[in-house]
Amino acid sequence: QVQLVESGGGLVQAGGSLRLSCAASGRTFSNYAMGWFRQAPGKGREFVAAISWSADTIYYADSVKGRFTISRDNAKNSVYLQMNSLKPDDTAVYYCAARKGVVAGTVTQYDYWGQGTQLTVSS
């Protein structure tokens, strides 16, 4: 089992920045690929970014490419999502997820999920 706890969400103005953190515990964190997903009100959960266990493979959704940066620190059992140039459309609950194996970009490929952290971007 892997337990994931997100933090860092909040209210920010459009154009601003915020960094989300996800702390993992339970299993060897470095064995897991990690992803960030988000879910806006009335919408399905969508992929945002993912990073391999060694950080040599990184994927981004087109909607965040160039604005968001995913990173990880295996020594701290943590993964991060730096979000810049935020837009109102980025408003959502952001979830951290883990899967054993190669990095992936769909909800069903991830085995463990955090409880989510709310990001609200005001215009």
Side-chain angles (χ1 to χ4, degrees):
Q1 286 284 346
V2 176
Q3 292 79 42
L4 303 171
V5 179
E6 302 95 335
S7 61
L11 174 65
V12 63
Q13 287 189 330
S17 299
L18 207 64
R19 189 177 86 152
L20 303 182
S21 299
C22 174
S25 61
R27 293 284 189 175
T28 305
F29 178 71
S30 59
N31 290 344
Y32 289 80
M34 302 296 296
W36 284 99
F37 293 77
R38 66 188 182 186
Q39 187 164 13
K43 296 187 177 181
R45 195 167 297 189
E46 66 173 9
F47 170 74
V48 174
I51 186 168
S52 63
W53 68 270
S54 62
D56 61 351
T57 302
I58 292 176
Y59 297 145
Y60 293 102
D62 288 343
S63 59
V64 307
K65 205 171 291 183
R67 300 188 298 121
F68 289 11
T69 302
I70 189 172
S71 62
R72 68 189 295 163
D73 186 339
N74 289 341
K76 295 183 178 180
N77 287 356
S78 294
V79 63
Y80 309 98
L81 186 68
Q82 176 66 43
M83 305 180 292
N84 300 328
S85 302
L86 283 163
K87 306 174 182 179
D89 284 349
D90 295 319
T91 296
V93 176
Y94 282 73
Y95 296 91
C96 173
R99 74 182 303 269
K100 200 163 187 179
V102 300
V103 64
T106 60
V107 171
T108 56
Q109 291 174 298
Y110 284 80
D111 303 308
Y112 303 101
W113 293 84
Q115 82 291 347
T117 186
Q118 176 71 47
L119 168 68
T120 302
V121 183
S122 63
S123 57

